[in-house]
Amino acid sequence: MAVLEKLRGWGIVLSILVALPLLLFIIDPSQIIQTVQSVSSKYDVGKIGGKSVSYTDFQAEVDRMSRISEMLSGNTSSSEQQQQQIRDAVWKHLVEENLFIKNCNAAGINVGKDEIMDLTNGENVSPVIASLFVDENGAFSNERLVAFLQNVEDGDENAKAIWAYLQEQIVTNQYYNKYNALFMNSNVENALQVNKAIADNNTTADVDFVMVPFSFATDSTVVVSDKEIKDFYDNHKKFFEQKATRDIEYVVFQVVPSAEDITAANDEFVKLYEDFTTTDNVRAFLQRNSDTQWSDQWYKAGDLRSVNADIDTFVSENNEGTSPVISANNTLYAGRIMATATMPETVTIRHMMFQSNEDGQHLADSLLNELKKGADFTALATEFSLDRGSQADGEFGKIGEISPATVSYLPTGFNAIFDAKVGQPFILQSNMATHIVEVTEAGAPALFKQVALFEKEILSSKETFNKYYNDANRVATLAGGKYANYRAACDSIGTYSHSMTINEATDTYGSIGHAKEVTRWAFDNKPGKVSNIITVDNNYFFVVAVTGAHKEGIAPVNEVAEQIKNQLYSEKYAEKRQGEVAEQIAGLTDLEAIAEKLGTSVSTQNDVAFASMGARSLDPKFVGAIAAAPEGQISGPVAGSYGVYVFKVNGRETGSFYTESDAKNANAQILNYAAQMILPAMMDDADVKDNRARFF
């Protein structure tokens, strides 16, 4: 169990069954099957390799991974961001298990038992193991691995769970190593390809040209027929794949304090203000009356701007006293300067942590004596410290740089580090443990102040809350669940209706977050429906109308017809203008004469390289034409993306700055990028469905 502790911080329904036979006599069985599949898939987190992933199974795996994370880190609490990271890791693991590894096996790649043994406890230990079981010097320690495995053999459930997880990671990593090796080594760039890349990057052209820009006005003579649109759609359906989306309109009523609420809150705050300025027990006062509790944190000039700029100004300009009452963003503030001190702006510290009992104190005394005799701090911390997570810059026991503004994140009692001398370790008793602490570096001294912050949010009264609720309810009632009525309701009340296209992952509407309930309602209802009141954060009242629904898959032609029409129009218009320019300049062999005929001027561009990014400011189609054009003669007209070009390549130069090594490095970069796309490509080919956004 001791070894396991050392791992902490290292990172890593009967009525339906009776009724069903009766239904079969009156309903087509195929319809029942289709309905059941539709309903059941609605509650799936996704589908991988043809296998559905239910919410229950997915959440069970999330719970398992969360427990393992807690055991490895020793931290039993996790933020929403950490939970999202775990859900992402679980999804990736399921894709690897149900798709990637199966594809590897199909390609003849396997990881055998002997191989796994070698990777876990042999001569070629996996980095997953080698980075976790280390000695005081950071090197792989087989002894620590063996001690941990003994815990597994002894039936320690936590150790068994961790070991099962590590084995999964080892096997998956080995599959990646083998598949990537196969993928990377299968790419061979021959000499012709290398020489072509070198030539393309070393050859530049100097060019004179005339450009006739395309007009922004629509040319009524250029017509795109419905048949052309349909033909393009039929031949390019892959281009129109889409995620499921909903078009919605919504009104939202934000509950904000009324003038009466503000006056009442201000009066109450002022009544308490005098006590705040004079009380001897600020901590107790804040605990009873303030949204912000007492903090031991120290501030220098500028640190309090994140709280309130006026509070920061007062504290910066005074060494004692209490600020006036300040109102900003529906919050009332006052700040009282409690103490001032000059201390280093930052100190860099390292520590050892022991139990706060008598044994821990004796051990701290003994080790402090050893340090005074010249013992190595890092070595002692590695062997004796209970804190296995502090390893800043790879040094065991090192916490790193701490300022008076950040010391409050450490256990209570660590303020003493700002009075300590550099290079002289000392014993510190925090509210959590006994420590030996050493300051290894100290920054320049600065003036800091300890400030009590009296803060009170101005809350809306019940009457104000009801007013906004009634406004929202009036819209919902007048709409009666129908979109036509919704528009009339908005007009009659004079409220603004927002328009938005959302997907299943949308949870933010404007500046309003945590609004996933709005998204869920929209995806559960058909176009033309209007919601009742949807409450978000108990502070926003939404009424939502679904105006359009777009299914996942290939968008129907009517939805993309305008997009296709615009593209085909651009192509036909460019072709037309190209022909018109050709007619205008027929017989002309001088660029100046061509420019005069077209009513424009001659421009020059030097050092145009087809393969380099140096010409990225030019029309890409024009650059391509330059690369293929002969020298010394008029070329074009060429229809580009922005206009029609007539040009002359005056000359080409071949340099030697782009070498064979550059070409091979560029190819390696492309290959590395392609390797990163292996899993996404497999997922696309297998039509993996990721529906997590419905649930999280």
Side-chain angles (χ1 to χ4, degrees):
M1 196 60 199
V3 177
L4 181 57
E5 286 296 323
K6 290 178 182 289
L7 288 174
R8 297 194 184 279
W10 295 353
I12 323 227
V13 152
L14 179 59
S15 61
I16 295 176
L17 292 174
V18 172
L20 187 58
L22 299 176
L23 286 171
L24 291 174
F25 287 102
I26 55 176
I27 300 179
D28 183 352
S30 64
Q31 292 180 333
I32 295 178
I33 294 172
Q34 185 178 3
T35 301
V36 170
Q37 289 176 340
S38 173
V39 171
S40 63
S41 64
K42 182 178 179 180
Y43 299 100
D44 288 339
V45 171
K47 179 177 283 189
I48 304 170
K51 178 183 177 181
S52 295
V53 181
S54 70
Y55 175 85
T56 302
D57 291 343
F58 182 80
Q59 191 58 46
E61 187 65 15
V62 169
D63 293 341
R64 182 180 79 94
M65 291 287 284
S66 297
R67 288 194 299 272
I68 291 170
S69 176
E70 291 171 4
M71 286 185 283
L72 287 172
S73 67
N75 185 3
T76 58
S77 62
S78 61
S79 65
E80 174 55 32
Q81 182 180 11
Q82 290 169 322
Q83 278 295 300
Q84 183 59 51
Q85 290 172 348
I86 290 174
R87 289 193 289 265
D88 289 343
V90 167
W91 178 254
K92 183 172 181 288
H93 166 68
L94 292 172
V95 171
E96 291 166 342
E97 182 180 58
N98 295 291
L99 180 63
F100 175 69
I101 292 177
K102 289 183 178 180
N103 285 348
C104 287
N105 296 155
I109 298 173
N110 292 282
V111 177
K113 292 182 179 179
D114 292 341
E115 192 174 355
I116 297 172
M117 180 62 70
D118 188 43
L119 289 166
T120 54
N121 197 23
E123 295 182 0
N124 300 298
V125 175
S126 167
V128 175
I129 298 292
S131 63
L132 193 59
F133 299 92
V134 296
D135 59 20
E136 59 274 6
N137 298 315
F140 169 63
S141 171
N142 189 64
E143 291 77 12
R144 294 192 174 188
L145 172 58
V146 170
F148 174 76
L149 292 176
Q150 187 59 55
N151 285 345
V152 177
E153 289 292 326
D154 291 343
D156 186 308
E157 293 300 325
N158 289 343
K160 288 166 66 177
I162 291 174
W163 185 240
Y165 167 76
L166 294 177
Q167 287 181 304
E168 290 172 3
Q169 299 305 305
I170 291 166
V171 171
T172 302
N173 283 358
Q174 190 67 355
Y175 272 113
Y176 271 117
N177 290 336
K178 290 186 172 185
Y179 196 98
N180 286 343
L182 175 66
F183 181 82
M184 301 291 279
N185 292 324
S186 67
N187 180 75
V188 178
E189 189 176 37
N190 61 41
L192 289 176
Q193 290 172 303
V194 173
N195 292 335
K196 179 69 164 57
I198 294 172
D200 286 344
N201 281 278
N202 281 325
T203 302
T204 59
D206 299 333
V207 60
D208 293 337
F209 66 95
V210 173
M211 176 196 179
V212 180
F214 292 146
S215 172
F216 290 106
T218 301
D219 187 336
S220 61
T221 67
V222 178
V223 178
V224 178
S225 68
D226 292 342
K227 183 179 184 304
E228 288 174 314
I229 293 173
K230 184 65 166 58
D231 288 345
F232 185 93
Y233 174 82
D234 290 339
N235 292 324
H236 302 85
K237 285 187 176 181
K238 192 73 174 176
F239 292 172
F240 306 110
E241 288 186 348
Q242 64 181 11
K243 295 290 185 180
T245 59
R246 295 292 184 270
D247 300 326
I248 66 168
E249 292 183 25
Y250 68 93
V251 293
V252 59
F253 298 86
Q254 180 182 3
V255 180
V256 294
S258 65
E260 292 79 7
D261 297 335
I262 295 172
T263 299
N266 190 71
D267 291 345
E268 181 64 24
F269 194 89
V270 168
K271 289 179 182 178
L272 295 167
Y273 175 79
E274 185 175 350
D275 288 343
F276 175 62
T277 62
T278 59
T279 181
D280 293 329
N281 194 341
V282 172
R283 186 187 301 269
F285 175 89
L286 295 178
Q287 188 173 6
R288 290 193 308 268
N289 303 301
S290 178
D291 294 340
T292 300
Q293 301 302 292
W294 169 260
S295 170
D296 291 326
Q297 186 169 339
W298 291 78
Y299 305 92
K300 68 177 187 296
D303 286 349
L304 284 166
R305 287 176 188 161
S306 60
V307 177
N308 179 271
D310 293 330
I311 291 287
D312 183 76
T313 298
F314 174 84
V315 172
S316 299
E317 295 177 352
N318 296 274
N319 291 328
E320 60 182 12
T322 305
S323 74
V325 176
I326 297 165
S327 177
N329 301 319
N330 283 335
T331 304
L332 297 167
Y333 302 91
R336 177 180 170 184
I337 300 172
M338 305 302 297
T340 62
T342 299
M343 60 183 77
E345 285 195 280
T346 61
V347 295
T348 301
I349 64 170
R350 55 185 179 179
H351 86 135
M352 303 178 216
M353 186 174 76
F354 317 99
Q355 294 181 354
S356 58
N357 57 22
E358 187 175 344
D359 290 341
Q361 292 167 357
H362 283 317
L363 179 57
D365 290 334
S366 175
L367 295 180
L368 182 61
N369 287 330
E370 294 298 317
L371 290 171
K372 291 178 179 179
K373 294 176 183 178
D376 184 84
F377 194 104
T378 302
L380 293 180
T382 302
E383 184 174 358
F384 295 103
S385 178
L386 297 178
D387 178 9
R388 314 309 295 178
S390 296
Q391 299 184 51
D393 302 324
E395 181 183 337
F396 217 92
K398 185 176 181 180
I399 294 177
E401 193 174 79
I402 301 296
S403 73
T406 60
V407 71
S408 59
Y409 297 115
L410 296 178
T412 302
F414 265 78
N415 279 329
I417 62 178
F418 298 105
D419 295 324
K421 295 182 179 180
V422 175
Q424 295 187 14
F426 63 100
I427 293 177
L428 182 152
Q429 193 71 44
S430 76
N431 64 325
M432 293 178 61
T434 300
H435 311 257
I436 296 177
V437 180
E438 181 184 357
V439 176
T440 59
E441 295 178 51
L447 182 64
F448 285 85
K449 299 168 186 178
Q450 199 169 48
V451 181
L453 294 171
F454 180 21
E455 182 178 337
K456 202 74 176 175
E457 181 184 1
I458 301 174
L459 300 177
S460 299
S461 64
K462 181 179 179 180
E463 290 75 18
T464 300
F465 186 92
N466 288 340
K467 172 191 175 299
Y468 287 104
Y469 183 90
N470 290 336
D471 289 343
N473 191 53
R474 186 180 172 194
V475 174
T477 301
L478 290 174
K482 297 181 180 179
Y483 177 66
N485 297 341
Y486 166 85
R487 293 300 311 178
C490 292
D491 292 341
S492 66
I493 294 176
T495 188
Y496 179 73
S497 178
H498 305 262
S499 297
M500 189 172 176
T501 297
I502 62 173
N503 58 48
E504 288 187 295
T506 302
D507 69 348
T508 300
Y509 291 78
S511 61
I512 306 169
H514 311 114
K516 200 61 176 286
E517 191 60 35
V518 174
T519 302
R520 292 193 182 100
W521 182 89
F523 273 85
D524 284 341
N525 286 272
K526 297 178 180 180
K529 288 289 187 179
V530 178
S531 73
N532 292 318
I533 294 174
I534 302 173
T535 304
V536 173
D537 284 345
N538 208 35
N539 203 44
Y540 301 94
F541 301 126
F542 282 79
V543 179
V544 185
V546 181
T547 59
H550 312 282
K551 296 181 179 180
E552 182 176 4
I554 305 297
V557 64
N558 63 294
E559 290 186 4
V560 295
E562 192 64 27
Q563 174 187 340
I564 297 172
K565 180 179 180 179
N566 291 337
Q567 180 176 339
L568 294 179
Y569 169 85
S570 297
E571 293 173 359
K572 296 178 75 171
Y573 173 74
E575 183 179 354
K576 176 189 175 185
R577 291 296 292 132
Q578 180 183 15
E580 291 172 343
V581 170
E583 289 181 7
Q584 285 181 272
I585 66 173
L588 299 178
T589 59
D590 179 74
L591 271 184
E592 292 291 345
I594 290 172
E596 184 177 355
K597 183 69 174 178
L598 296 175
T600 183
S601 59
V602 178
S603 300
T604 298
Q605 183 75 41
N606 296 322
D607 301 325
V608 178
F610 176 70
S612 115
M613 293 301 290
R616 61 184 180 272
S617 61
L618 293 179
D619 191 319
K621 294 181 180 179
F622 179 37
V623 174
I626 293 171
E631 290 184 44
Q633 67 184 58
I634 301 296
S635 297
V638 172
S641 300
Y642 316 122
V644 176
Y645 301 85
V646 183
F647 64 98
K648 181 173 69 173
V649 175
N650 296 318
R652 288 189 171 87
E653 293 185 8
T654 301
S656 58
F657 51 87
Y658 193 86
T659 67
E660 181 178 348
S661 177
D662 293 327
K664 290 182 177 180
N665 287 337
N667 184 61
Q669 291 177 0
I670 293 171
L671 196 57
N672 284 328
Y673 172 77
Q676 295 173 22
M677 300 305 295
I678 289 174
L679 195 58
M682 287 183 178
M683 293 170 65
D684 183 64
D685 183 65
D687 195 24
V688 169
K689 302 296 184 185
D690 183 356
N691 301 328
R692 287 178 293 159
R694 295 177 183 172
F695 305 94
F696 308 105

